Amino acid sequence: MLRRAILLLPFLALFAPLLLAEEAAPSTVKLLTVGNSFSANATKHLPGLAKAAGKNLIHTPLVIGGASMQVHLDKAKLHEANPADPKGLYTNKRGLKEWLAAEQWDVVTIQMASVKSHDIANYRPSASELRDYIKKFAPKSEIVVHQTWAYRVDDPRFTKPTGQPGEPATQEAMYQGLTSAYNTIAQELGGLRIIPTGDAFHIADNDPQWQFQPDTVFNPKAAKQGELPNQKHSLHMGWQWKKGKDGKTTLAMDGHHANIAGEYLGGCCFFEVLFKQSCVGNTYVPKGLTAEDARYLQETAHKAVAARGIETTAVKAAAVK
């Protein structure tokens, strides 16, 4: 018996990390996202991914368009000062502290407004104050930092720069700035985990086989209604025709927000970090996305998460498509 046990030791040592990872992979995650449109983008397809993997996701999004951490903190302070003040409430008529106490949240995510994400000064001191506020009312929850992404390479921020000091002039400069800032603030807040959506966007945007290339032939000033440039492999909304409040349809550029591919990529990053399971092979593919592209985005998200040192188990047979 002793000899058999000794012989088994090398095999146990080999498979121990996998066994531990399997045990650590939760079947249910209760998630509260304190963010803006970028958190809404990145979690849009998270329910579908979770369901296909046989996981249970309970998610409440607290979304304020364009909000920084300071905006959410200021809303919380308004609510503390006067619970009846509507400016201190989210659309569901609850303040932040009520939402923090509403569930035994496993994870609460925080993030910066994308336009301010490149400058660490914008995170101080609001990030630490927001962390302390969350810990006060949800002490058992894990606070996780959601890394947002850089704008599309042809976004007006880069093609028509303001020249303001510290303003990133290129997509790469924005990515490097926001990554440094998110990494720094995550460490300052106690070594918090990061959901690397920005890293995943960067990998795809710099992959020679995938990266988006602006259509140099397209002239937006001369475009007729319905005409659009070639936007293959874009992760952002890009050029689109939109009807305004005046009823007129005009051509607009949105190099900020994620399109279906970017949303799916973000969802894959969230899925892997939250459920500690690989998204590669997940059968959920939203309408408008090919199975081939979905597989590439899954693999890209997995690379980004793995590069952060976050271990995941292999995908299991899908429960529901």
Side-chain angles (χ1 to χ4, degrees):
M1 182 67 71
L2 180 60
R3 176 181 172 80
R4 184 179 298 175
I6 292 173
L7 290 173
L8 285 173
L9 283 176
F11 295 97
L12 291 174
L14 178 63
F15 290 104
L18 295 176
L19 293 172
L20 290 173
E22 183 71 25
E23 291 175 358
S27 58
T28 297
V29 169
K30 295 181 179 181
L31 169 68
L32 181 70
T33 49
V34 182
N36 49 49
S37 58
F38 275 39
S39 59
N41 279 177
T43 57
K44 182 174 181 179
H45 296 293
L46 180 58
L49 289 162
K51 187 176 181 180
K55 304 290 188 178
N56 182 31
L57 173 71
I58 299 170
H59 176 211
T60 292
L62 300 183
V63 177
I64 303 175
S68 63
M69 296 182 193
Q70 186 65 55
V71 169
H72 284 283
L73 186 63
D74 289 344
K75 183 178 278 289
K77 290 179 178 178
L78 280 174
H79 186 56
E80 291 286 346
N82 180 10
D85 187 346
K87 293 181 179 179
L89 303 174
Y90 292 90
T91 54
N92 37 44
K93 307 303 181 184
R94 282 180 173 176
L96 180 55
K97 71 176 183 181
E98 278 85 20
W99 270 117
L100 289 169
E103 284 277 2
Q104 186 64 58
W105 304 107
D106 297 299
V107 172
V108 178
T109 64
I110 58 175
Q111 65 184 72
M112 179 51 65
S114 64
V115 73
K116 297 182 177 182
S117 61
H118 64 284
D119 188 351
I120 188 61
N122 293 323
Y123 298 72
R124 299 170 175 150
S126 58
S128 61
E129 292 180 6
L130 184 58
R131 173 205 58 191
D132 293 344
Y133 192 86
I134 293 170
K135 281 299 183 184
K136 180 179 180 179
F137 296 102
K140 295 183 179 180
S141 301
E142 178 190 6
I143 300 174
V144 175
V145 176
H146 173 217
Q147 175 206 30
T148 53
W149 52 87
Y151 298 163
R152 202 167 85 170
V153 67
D154 58 346
D155 185 84
R157 187 178 205 183
F158 312 131
T159 59
K160 299 178 181 179
T162 63
Q164 294 180 355
E167 178 72 3
T170 63
Q171 181 190 65
E172 182 65 23
M174 183 177 177
Y175 167 73
Q176 293 297 337
L178 70 85
T179 300
S180 175
Y182 275 114
N183 289 347
T184 299
I185 205 65
Q187 286 304 309
E188 289 183 5
L189 298 183
L192 303 184
R193 290 197 301 159
I194 293 176
I195 298 174
T197 311
D199 292 345
F201 269 63
H202 186 256
I203 292 171
D205 282 332
N206 288 275
D207 183 343
Q209 301 303 315
W210 173 276
Q211 65 180 172
F212 166 76
Q213 298 287 350
D215 186 341
T216 57
V217 177
F218 181 73
N219 181 1
K221 294 182 179 180
K224 297 179 181 179
Q225 187 169 330
E227 291 181 344
L228 287 171
N230 180 355
Q231 300 185 98
K232 183 179 180 181
H233 289 167
S234 175
L235 298 172
H236 304 77
M237 292 297 294
W239 291 105
Q240 54 189 314
W241 290 91
K242 300 182 70 176
K243 181 177 288 188
K245 294 181 180 179
D246 59 0
K248 295 182 179 179
T249 300
T250 57
L251 182 63
M253 170 59 163
D254 181 358
H256 297 193
H257 297 96
N259 60 11
I260 187 171
E263 289 172 335
Y264 188 76
L265 182 59
C268 287
C269 290
F270 260 85
F271 175 83
E272 289 214 352
V273 174
L274 296 180
F275 290 103
K276 300 177 183 178
Q277 182 180 95
S278 173
C279 65
V280 179
N282 190 294
T283 59
Y284 171 72
V285 178
K287 291 181 179 179
L289 197 64
T290 67
E292 181 182 5
D293 285 350
R295 179 72 180 202
Y296 172 80
L297 295 169
Q298 290 175 0
E299 292 173 349
T300 301
H302 186 66
K303 287 179 184 177
V305 173
R308 289 281 177 171
I310 300 173
E311 295 184 359
T312 56
T313 62
V315 68
K316 295 180 179 180
V320 181
K321 286 190 177 182

